[in-house]
Short mmCIF file of all heavy atoms in Angstrom, two decimals:
data_model
loop_
_atom_site.label_atom_id
_atom_site.label_comp_id
_atom_site.label_asym_id
_atom_site.label_seq_id
_atom_site.Cartn_x
_atom_site.Cartn_y
_atom_site.Cartn_z
N THR A 613 26.66 1.51 13.14
CA THR A 613 27.54 2.08 14.15
C THR A 613 26.74 2.40 15.41
O THR A 613 25.57 2.07 15.53
CB THR A 613 28.22 3.37 13.64
OG1 THR A 613 27.23 4.40 13.53
CG2 THR A 613 28.86 3.15 12.28
N ALA A 614 27.40 3.06 16.33
CA ALA A 614 26.73 3.45 17.58
C ALA A 614 26.09 4.83 17.47
O ALA A 614 25.65 5.40 18.46
CB ALA A 614 27.74 3.44 18.73
N VAL A 615 26.04 5.37 16.25
CA VAL A 615 25.47 6.71 16.08
C VAL A 615 23.98 6.68 16.40
O VAL A 615 23.25 5.80 15.95
CB VAL A 615 25.69 7.21 14.63
CG1 VAL A 615 24.95 8.52 14.40
CG2 VAL A 615 27.18 7.39 14.37
N ARG A 616 23.54 7.62 17.18
CA ARG A 616 22.13 7.73 17.51
C ARG A 616 21.70 9.18 17.35
O ARG A 616 22.42 10.10 17.73
CB ARG A 616 21.86 7.29 18.96
CG ARG A 616 22.08 5.80 19.20
CD ARG A 616 21.00 4.97 18.49
NE ARG A 616 21.15 3.56 18.78
CZ ARG A 616 21.89 2.72 18.07
NH1 ARG A 616 22.59 3.19 17.04
NH2 ARG A 616 21.96 1.45 18.38
N ILE A 617 20.54 9.38 16.77
CA ILE A 617 19.98 10.73 16.71
C ILE A 617 18.67 10.71 17.50
O ILE A 617 18.03 9.67 17.64
CB ILE A 617 19.72 11.19 15.26
CG1 ILE A 617 18.65 10.30 14.59
CG2 ILE A 617 20.99 11.21 14.46
CD1 ILE A 617 18.23 10.79 13.22
N ASN A 618 18.32 11.85 18.03
CA ASN A 618 17.09 11.96 18.80
C ASN A 618 15.92 11.99 17.82
O ASN A 618 15.58 13.03 17.26
CB ASN A 618 17.11 13.23 19.66
CG ASN A 618 15.98 13.24 20.66
OD1 ASN A 618 14.88 12.80 20.38
ND2 ASN A 618 16.27 13.76 21.85
N LEU A 619 15.30 10.83 17.61
CA LEU A 619 14.24 10.73 16.63
C LEU A 619 13.01 11.53 17.04
O LEU A 619 12.28 12.04 16.18
CB LEU A 619 13.85 9.26 16.41
CG LEU A 619 14.91 8.40 15.71
CD1 LEU A 619 14.42 6.97 15.60
CD2 LEU A 619 15.22 8.96 14.33
N THR A 620 12.79 11.66 18.35
CA THR A 620 11.65 12.45 18.80
C THR A 620 11.79 13.90 18.38
O THR A 620 10.85 14.51 17.83
CB THR A 620 11.51 12.36 20.33
OG1 THR A 620 11.32 11.00 20.71
CG2 THR A 620 10.32 13.20 20.81
N VAL A 621 12.98 14.46 18.60
CA VAL A 621 13.24 15.85 18.19
C VAL A 621 13.20 15.97 16.68
O VAL A 621 12.61 16.92 16.12
CB VAL A 621 14.61 16.33 18.74
CG1 VAL A 621 14.95 17.71 18.20
CG2 VAL A 621 14.59 16.35 20.27
N PHE A 622 13.81 15.01 15.99
CA PHE A 622 13.85 15.05 14.52
C PHE A 622 12.44 15.07 13.94
O PHE A 622 12.11 15.91 13.09
CB PHE A 622 14.62 13.84 13.99
CG PHE A 622 14.58 13.72 12.48
CD1 PHE A 622 15.46 14.42 11.70
CD2 PHE A 622 13.63 12.91 11.87
CE1 PHE A 622 15.41 14.33 10.31
CE2 PHE A 622 13.59 12.79 10.49
CZ PHE A 622 14.48 13.51 9.71
N PHE A 623 11.59 14.15 14.37
CA PHE A 623 10.25 14.06 13.81
C PHE A 623 9.37 15.22 14.26
O PHE A 623 8.43 15.60 13.55
CB PHE A 623 9.61 12.72 14.18
CG PHE A 623 10.14 11.57 13.39
CD1 PHE A 623 10.71 10.48 14.01
CD2 PHE A 623 10.08 11.58 12.00
CE1 PHE A 623 11.21 9.42 13.28
CE2 PHE A 623 10.57 10.52 11.25
CZ PHE A 623 11.14 9.43 11.89
N THR A 624 9.67 15.83 15.41
CA THR A 624 8.91 17.00 15.83
C THR A 624 9.24 18.20 14.96
O THR A 624 8.34 18.89 14.46
CB THR A 624 9.20 17.34 17.31
OG1 THR A 624 8.80 16.24 18.14
CG2 THR A 624 8.45 18.59 17.73
N VAL A 625 10.54 18.45 14.75
CA VAL A 625 10.96 19.61 13.94
C VAL A 625 10.50 19.45 12.50
O VAL A 625 9.91 20.36 11.91
CB VAL A 625 12.49 19.78 14.01
CG1 VAL A 625 12.95 20.87 13.04
CG2 VAL A 625 12.91 20.14 15.43
N THR A 626 10.78 18.28 11.91
CA THR A 626 10.37 18.07 10.52
C THR A 626 8.85 18.03 10.41
O THR A 626 8.29 18.44 9.38
CB THR A 626 10.96 16.77 9.97
OG1 THR A 626 10.58 15.66 10.80
CG2 THR A 626 12.48 16.85 9.89
N GLY A 627 8.18 17.57 11.46
CA GLY A 627 6.72 17.56 11.44
C GLY A 627 6.15 18.97 11.36
O GLY A 627 5.23 19.24 10.57
N VAL A 628 6.69 19.88 12.15
CA VAL A 628 6.23 21.27 12.12
C VAL A 628 6.48 21.88 10.74
O VAL A 628 5.60 22.54 10.16
CB VAL A 628 6.94 22.09 13.20
CG1 VAL A 628 6.69 23.59 13.01
CG2 VAL A 628 6.48 21.67 14.59
N LEU A 629 7.67 21.66 10.21
CA LEU A 629 7.98 22.22 8.89
C LEU A 629 7.08 21.63 7.81
O LEU A 629 6.61 22.34 6.91
CB LEU A 629 9.46 21.95 8.56
CG LEU A 629 10.48 22.72 9.40
CD1 LEU A 629 11.89 22.30 9.04
CD2 LEU A 629 10.31 24.23 9.20
N LEU A 630 6.81 20.32 7.89
CA LEU A 630 5.96 19.69 6.88
C LEU A 630 4.51 20.15 7.01
O LEU A 630 3.79 20.20 6.00
CB LEU A 630 6.05 18.17 7.00
CG LEU A 630 7.26 17.53 6.31
CD1 LEU A 630 7.26 16.03 6.51
CD2 LEU A 630 7.27 17.85 4.81
N ILE A 631 4.06 20.47 8.20
CA ILE A 631 2.72 21.02 8.35
C ILE A 631 2.61 22.36 7.62
O ILE A 631 1.62 22.64 6.94
CB ILE A 631 2.36 21.18 9.84
CG1 ILE A 631 2.12 19.80 10.48
CG2 ILE A 631 1.11 22.05 10.02
CD1 ILE A 631 1.97 19.84 11.98
N LEU A 632 3.66 23.17 7.74
CA LEU A 632 3.67 24.46 7.03
C LEU A 632 3.77 24.25 5.52
O LEU A 632 3.14 24.97 4.74
CB LEU A 632 4.83 25.32 7.53
CG LEU A 632 4.75 25.74 9.00
CD1 LEU A 632 5.99 26.53 9.40
CD2 LEU A 632 3.49 26.56 9.25
N VAL A 633 4.55 23.24 5.10
CA VAL A 633 4.61 22.90 3.68
C VAL A 633 3.24 22.44 3.20
O VAL A 633 2.78 22.84 2.12
CB VAL A 633 5.67 21.80 3.43
CG1 VAL A 633 5.56 21.26 2.01
CG2 VAL A 633 7.07 22.34 3.68
N ALA A 634 2.58 21.60 3.98
CA ALA A 634 1.25 21.10 3.60
C ALA A 634 0.25 22.24 3.51
O ALA A 634 -0.63 22.24 2.64
CB ALA A 634 0.78 20.05 4.62
N ALA A 635 0.36 23.21 4.42
CA ALA A 635 -0.54 24.37 4.36
C ALA A 635 -0.34 25.13 3.06
O ALA A 635 -1.31 25.59 2.43
CB ALA A 635 -0.28 25.29 5.56
N GLY A 636 0.93 25.24 2.63
CA GLY A 636 1.21 25.89 1.35
C GLY A 636 0.66 25.08 0.17
O GLY A 636 0.16 25.65 -0.80
N ILE A 637 0.76 23.76 0.25
CA ILE A 637 0.21 22.90 -0.81
C ILE A 637 -1.31 23.06 -0.88
O ILE A 637 -1.90 23.13 -1.96
CB ILE A 637 0.60 21.43 -0.58
CG1 ILE A 637 2.11 21.25 -0.73
CG2 ILE A 637 -0.14 20.51 -1.55
CD1 ILE A 637 2.60 19.86 -0.39
N LEU A 638 -1.95 23.10 0.30
CA LEU A 638 -3.40 23.29 0.33
C LEU A 638 -3.77 24.65 -0.27
O LEU A 638 -4.76 24.76 -1.01
CB LEU A 638 -3.91 23.21 1.77
CG LEU A 638 -5.42 23.41 1.96
CD1 LEU A 638 -6.21 22.35 1.22
CD2 LEU A 638 -5.77 23.40 3.45
N LYS A 639 -3.01 25.67 0.06
CA LYS A 639 -3.24 27.00 -0.51
C LYS A 639 -3.15 26.95 -2.03
O LYS A 639 -3.99 27.54 -2.73
CB LYS A 639 -2.21 27.98 0.06
CG LYS A 639 -2.22 29.37 -0.54
CD LYS A 639 -1.23 30.26 0.18
CE LYS A 639 -1.04 31.58 -0.53
NZ LYS A 639 -0.27 31.45 -1.78
N TYR A 640 -2.17 26.23 -2.54
CA TYR A 640 -2.04 26.11 -3.99
C TYR A 640 -3.20 25.32 -4.58
O TYR A 640 -3.70 25.63 -5.66
CB TYR A 640 -0.71 25.43 -4.35
CG TYR A 640 -0.37 25.51 -5.81
CD1 TYR A 640 0.37 26.57 -6.32
CD2 TYR A 640 -0.80 24.53 -6.71
CE1 TYR A 640 0.67 26.66 -7.66
CE2 TYR A 640 -0.50 24.61 -8.05
CZ TYR A 640 0.23 25.67 -8.53
OH TYR A 640 0.51 25.76 -9.87
#
C-alpha cells in the first residue's frame, strides 16, 4: 500500500530503548 512510516524516527526510538535493554543484559 501507500503506507509509510518514518523509519528514521522508528529506528532512533527503538535504538535508544535497545541500548538500555543491552545495558541491562550486560549488567546481568
Side-chain angles (χ1 to χ4, degrees):
T613 70
V615 173
R616 292 291 184 271
I617 64 173
N618 191 323
L619 291 179
T620 300
V621 174
F622 174 84
F623 284 122
T624 298
V625 173
T626 57
V628 169
L629 291 176
L630 278 179
I631 288 171
L632 296 177
V633 170
I637 293 175
L638 179 61
K639 173 176 171 288
Y640 191 90

